[in-house]
Each structure stands twice: as C-alpha cells, then as structure tokens.
Amino acid sequence: MSDLLLLGLIGALTLLLLLTLLAFIGYSGLLAEVTVSAGSPPIGNITMAYKFHKGSYGKTGHLFNESCSVSPKLRSVAVYYDNPRMVPPEKCRCAVGSILSEGEESPSPELIHLYQKFGFKVFSFPAPSHVVTATFPYTTPLSIWLATRRVHPALDAYIKERKLCAHPWLEIYQQDQIHFMCPLARQGDFYVPEVKETERKSRGPVEAMDTMMDGTGADTSDTSSVSLEVGPISRETSAATLSPGASSRAWDDGDTRSEHSYSESGASGSSFEELDLEGEGPLGEPLGPDKWRREPSTPEKGEE
C-alpha cells in the first residue's frame, strides 16, 4: 500500500512539474500572436551607447550584460547587420548597447562619459518614416529564445512576400515587450562607423575591377575574356544584401549594405509607398520555420 502511495505521489509531482513548465513556457510567449505590419516606427530618433561585435550572434550576451550593468534602467537595443543564414558566424556584425535618449531629448554629458568610461561608443539613429515592425512579450529570459524562432521567420516572410527592401534589423527591449523594427527608408543612417569602414575596405577590389572596364561594361584586360554587363538588377536576386550583412557594391558613405546583409527579401523591390500602411493586421500566410531566409544577391550600385 505504501508503494502505491509513493508512486501516486511521484506521479502527482511529475504532473505538477509538467503543468508548471507548460505554464512558464506559455507565459514566456509560446502562444502569443505574432503580428507583422508596416507603418510608423515604435520609437523616434535615438542616441545609443554601443559596442561593436563581429562574430556569432549567440555570443553577444555579455554585451547586453555590460550595457545593463552600467545603467540598468535604460532600454537595451541591438542592431544586426548580417544574415546568419548567408554569412559565416565569425563574419556576422552587430551593435549592442543601451538607448541613452529618444526624440528631442539629449543624453546628459555625465551619462555619455559613464558609458565611454566602460568602452562604449555613442551613435545616433534617425526616426525612419516607415518600418516593418512586430512585437513579442518579454516576460522571461526564455522570451528571447522564443522570439528568434517565431518573430524572425514572420518578419522575413512578410518582407519577402511583399518584395520589400528592409534593413538592418533592430531589436529594442522595452519593459515587458521586445520591439522588432526593419527600416524601409534611410537605412544607411543605421550603420555604425565600424560597419561602414568594413564596407569601404570590401569595395576596394570592386573598384579595382571597375578600372579594368570601359564605359560599355566590356573587360579591357588582356588576361580576361569575360565581359561584365552593368545594368539594373532585380531584387529577386538580391535578397541578402544588407542587414543582421553587407553588400559588395560601390557604396556612398550613406549606403553601407553588403551582399551578406538583410537589405533585400523580395523580387521586384517594392518601396514602402506601395504598401497599404493603414492596415496593420497579422500576417496571413503560414510562416516558415527558417530564420531570416535570404537569397544571395548582388545589389545595384547606388541603391538605397
């Protein structure tokens, strides 16, 4: 009789543990509805203190901890420039830090000096007129893991379905929500100096190749028999151009995209003017399981 009672007690405790675990996962956002829309950004222009990271995005946790330890009350922010599905982990680039101020308010010199003391740099982002955005509950540390597997595929499907040029990918951790934002305009203004510098270096070989070509696009070198044709490139073949990446174009200072980045996800490159920005309903199509799917691309020169 005592054995049956013991087994019954173990079974009850196991069931209680499973129910508690399911409740915790549900509270973390497992069943939360993911609504992707295009419209106004969730934040205005911001000034952030950041540290630049090149390497696996999975190894950025210490940067969040560092920024939060300096001023725990500030919102955390991360900007991802390269697509981890297209770029080797060791070459992925991002900026992680804290939002010092938003809107017309300027950060205090004391706060800036405090972050600089710990090795952070300061950079300002504009307020884009239109963005692709989504939110997800931020109630437990598990929420972050769930968000990467639910929100990222939804964003990617929305952008690709509508053939948008949206990059880079921003995550803003605000109270009990994570805001995901992909600018549809002024994308180059969201690239920190370290990313722009790597783009300048990477376009060096491209510029050297340009000097070997005449105005018609024909290769004039003696050692090559391949002619290069310079012309419009549809975004159907340029889906991996910019963001949590960088493109191999010859860029302006304001355009910091690369062939590895998130800039593109569609075929015809629709602009945000073509969107119905009044309807911000949920994504209607079934979402694929892949994270931030992108297609290889060669972006146009001078394309934002």
Side-chain angles (χ1 to χ4, degrees), residues 162-165 184 235 266-275:
R162 289 159 179 79
K163 303 177 178 63
L164 300 175
C165 178
L184 291 168
R235 286 186 179 149
S268 65
S270 304
S271 64
F272 63 81
E273 288 89 348
E274 300 173 12
L275 291 174

Side-chain angles (χ1 to χ4, degrees), residues 12-67:
L13 290 176
T14 302
L15 179 60
L16 181 61
L17 179 62
L18 290 176
L19 291 175
T20 302
L21 181 60
L22 290 175
F24 175 77
I25 296 175
Y27 178 70
S28 300
L30 177 64
L31 303 178
E33 181 181 6
V34 177
T35 301
V36 181
S37 61
S40 301
I43 60 172
N45 56 295
I46 63 172
T47 298
M48 67 175 291
Y50 74 94
K51 283 189 176 182
F52 178 73
H53 173 80
K54 186 174 182 180
S56 172
Y57 291 151
K59 298 180 180 180
T60 58
H62 69 285
L63 297 180
F64 285 99
N65 292 334
E66 286 183 35
S67 63

Side-chain angles (χ1 to χ4, degrees), residues 4 26 73 75 143 158 162 170 177 200 210 221-222 231 237 241 279 291:
L4 291 177
K73 294 183 179 181
R75 292 168 291 174
S143 299
Y158 184 95
R162 289 159 179 79
L170 286 79
Q177 282 192 324
R200 292 191 186 97
D210 289 342
S221 66
D222 294 332
T237 60
T241 318
K291 176 182 179 181

Side-chain angles (χ1 to χ4, degrees), residues 211-273:
T211 62
M212 301 170 62
M213 300 171 60
D214 60 18
T216 63
D219 190 348
T220 57
S221 66
D222 294 332
T223 59
S224 174
S225 60
V226 180
S227 64
L228 301 179
E229 184 178 17
V230 179
I233 302 174
S234 77
R235 286 186 179 149
E236 186 169 6
T237 60
S238 61
T241 318
L242 292 180
S243 83
S247 54
S248 59
R249 333 178 165 181
W251 304 6
D252 301 349
D253 288 343
D255 187 358
T256 49
R257 293 171 282 177
S258 85
E259 61 188 359
H260 313 116
S261 57
Y262 291 116
S263 71
E264 326 235 336
S265 28
S268 65
S270 304
S271 64
F272 63 81
E273 288 89 348

